[in-house]
Amino acid sequence: MTDLFTPYTLKDLKLKNRVVMPPMCQYSVSNKDGIATDWHYMHYVSRAVGGAGLIIIEMTDVEPDGRISDFDLGIWSDEQIPALARIVEGCHAYGAKVGIQIAHAGRKAEDAAVPVAPSAIPFDANATPPRELTNAEVKAMIEKFRQGVARAVKAGVDVIELHGAHGYLIHQFHSPLTNLRTDEYGQDLTRFGSEVIRAAKSQMPAGMPLIMRISAKEYVEGGYGLTDSLKFSKAYKEAGVDIFHVSTGGEGPIGVGPIATGEKPGSHAAYQVPLASAIKHNLDVPVIAVGRLDEPILADAVLGNEEADLVAIGRGMLRNPYWALEAAAQLHKETDIPKPYMFSFPRTSK
Ligand SMILES: Cc1cc2nc3c(=O)[nH]c(=O)nc-3n(C[C@H](O)[C@H](O)[C@H](O)COP(=O)(O)O)c2cc1C
């Protein structure tokens, strides 16, 4: 039976367990140059020490105006590669595999003088109105994603994640609410995402899987639902996606930000799991489930019940870098504990 500590293999990606640290922006670049700092190094390597099987580096953007804030990571320049490579090496030394989320914020680029988007529709009343990308700029954007992925591969990552969720650029293209274009990228709402996927794959070794993060449902009035996300995910799978990382929302003022909180839909435990499970079983594709899965017994059940192949623990791992080690202790599973920490965890048995 599959549990949190069953190894996972897909193509050349071999994970020691099924615990994923999902991408979480740190807004901690010091010089607005998109280069990872010592903070990023410690932040990611400490989660590797803490036993995560796969660590996905936060939203890392393909151009300066594709950042949410000027303090986000970037991947538009070769100068950004060495600091990322150092993080990857550090995580590898402690047994974790590393992915990176390649992204563009589109109309949600808060520090851009004029953000760009599929159509000139602002995020909300306070947002700087974006301008519509020309057809040539859309094609140039796909090229920027291609180059970003090539740099990430050079940095030594084991897997690439494309950010197609939370109302960022790829999501803006496949959502009927934010893409009113009349060119080919508006006639087929999945065309931009599919071309980005193919561009990404062209730079990845054949054995390296591609993850795509999606919002499987929107929370704004008139937003798309599961039937639609199954359709666009099918197109993305055909274009080359190997694993879907299933989130929700972020597209507009109702579901502001990546996390639905308070009264908004989805504040209960495991709230996105039924969507992950539907994508997995309808499209016959591996999925990562995420969203309030902090209780090890719950995260473990999602895997045991075959609702997902991997589980991501976001805020739980921000609070506790050793989430995976503690989960193993709670579930009485074997896992590698760093030798200097051996005496702080109870001995486990299978
Ligand atoms: C501080 C913070 C930053 C985040 N940044 C990103 C991001 O860069 N990319 C992304 O796809 N999701 C981002 N998220 C969403 C998380 O990856 C995750 O999907 C969300 O927190 C729900 O999982 P949880 O309940 O385990 O925290 C962020 C969440 C937090 C708390």
Side-chain angles (χ1 to χ4, degrees), residues 146 149 160 162 195-204 210:
R146 188 187 68 74
V149 169
I160 297 287
L162 292 174
E195 289 191 9
V196 169
I197 291 162
R198 285 193 285 268
K201 280 253 151 154
S202 76
Q203 302 304 305
M204 294 163 56
L210 177 67

Side-chain angles (χ1 to χ4, degrees), residues 21-27 57-60 68 101 161 163 165-166 168 213 245-247 258-260 271-272 290-294 312-319:
M21 179 189 192
M24 286 180 286
C25 283
Q26 297 297 293
Y27 309 108
I57 296 174
E58 68 203 73
M59 176 161 173
T60 301
I68 304 173
Q101 189 182 51
E161 175 168 300
H163 201 345
H166 302 163
Y168 297 109
R213 201 166 221 215
H245 192 170
V246 183
S247 189
I259 320 154
Y271 63 103
Q272 294 170 151
V290 64
R292 296 203 182 246
L293 294 170
D294 312 21
I313 313 295
R315 287 162 290 180
M317 247 191 241
L318 279 189
R319 284 195 300 277

Side-chain angles (χ1 to χ4, degrees), residues 17-210:
N17 62 42
R18 302 198 177 218
V19 180
V20 179
M21 179 189 192
M24 286 180 286
C25 283
Q26 297 297 293
Y27 309 108
S28 296
V29 165
S30 6
N31 298 320
K32 302 190 179 183
D33 54 10
I35 297 178
T37 63
D38 277 355
W39 171 261
H40 297 94
Y41 180 82
M42 286 188 292
H43 170 68
Y44 290 113
V45 177
S46 57
R47 272 65 190 181
V49 170
L54 174 64
I55 292 169
I56 306 178
I57 296 174
E58 68 203 73
M59 176 161 173
T60 301
D61 304 294
V62 299
E63 66 173 355
D65 279 350
R67 293 173 291 182
I68 304 173
S69 87
D70 285 349
F71 301 96
D72 298 2
L73 291 183
I75 194 123
W76 62 82
S77 154
D78 286 353
E79 286 170 21
Q80 292 155 341
I81 298 174
L84 292 172
R86 182 172 166 247
I87 293 173
V88 174
E89 275 167 31
C91 291
H92 283 171
Y94 295 101
K97 296 294 164 72
V98 184
I100 185 167
Q101 189 182 51
I102 306 292
H104 191 294
R107 68 177 188 159
K108 289 176 78 174
E110 293 173 13
D111 289 343
V114 183
V116 294
S119 300
I121 307 166
F123 177 72
D124 63 17
N126 302 320
T128 310
R131 75 174 175 79
E132 178 173 318
L133 288 159
T134 65
N135 183 271
E137 285 172 333
V138 175
K139 294 186 197 309
M141 186 66 78
I142 294 160
E143 174 60 16
K144 286 174 191 171
F145 271 92
R146 188 187 68 74
Q147 290 181 14
V149 169
R151 291 189 185 100
V153 170
K154 267 194 194 152
V157 299
D158 305 285
V159 62
I160 297 287
E161 175 168 300
L162 292 174
H163 201 345
H166 302 163
Y168 297 109
L169 191 66
I170 296 175
H171 181 165
Q172 288 162 33
F173 268 93
H174 65 228
S175 172
L177 296 175
T178 42
N179 183 349
L180 307 180
R181 300 177 69 87
T182 52
D183 66 2
E184 68 269 34
Y185 296 101
Q187 284 154 14
D188 172 2
L189 299 186
T190 60
R191 184 163 181 150
F192 177 74
S194 299
E195 289 191 9
V196 169
I197 291 162
R198 285 193 285 268
K201 280 253 151 154
S202 76
Q203 302 304 305
M204 294 163 56
M208 183 186 286
L210 177 67

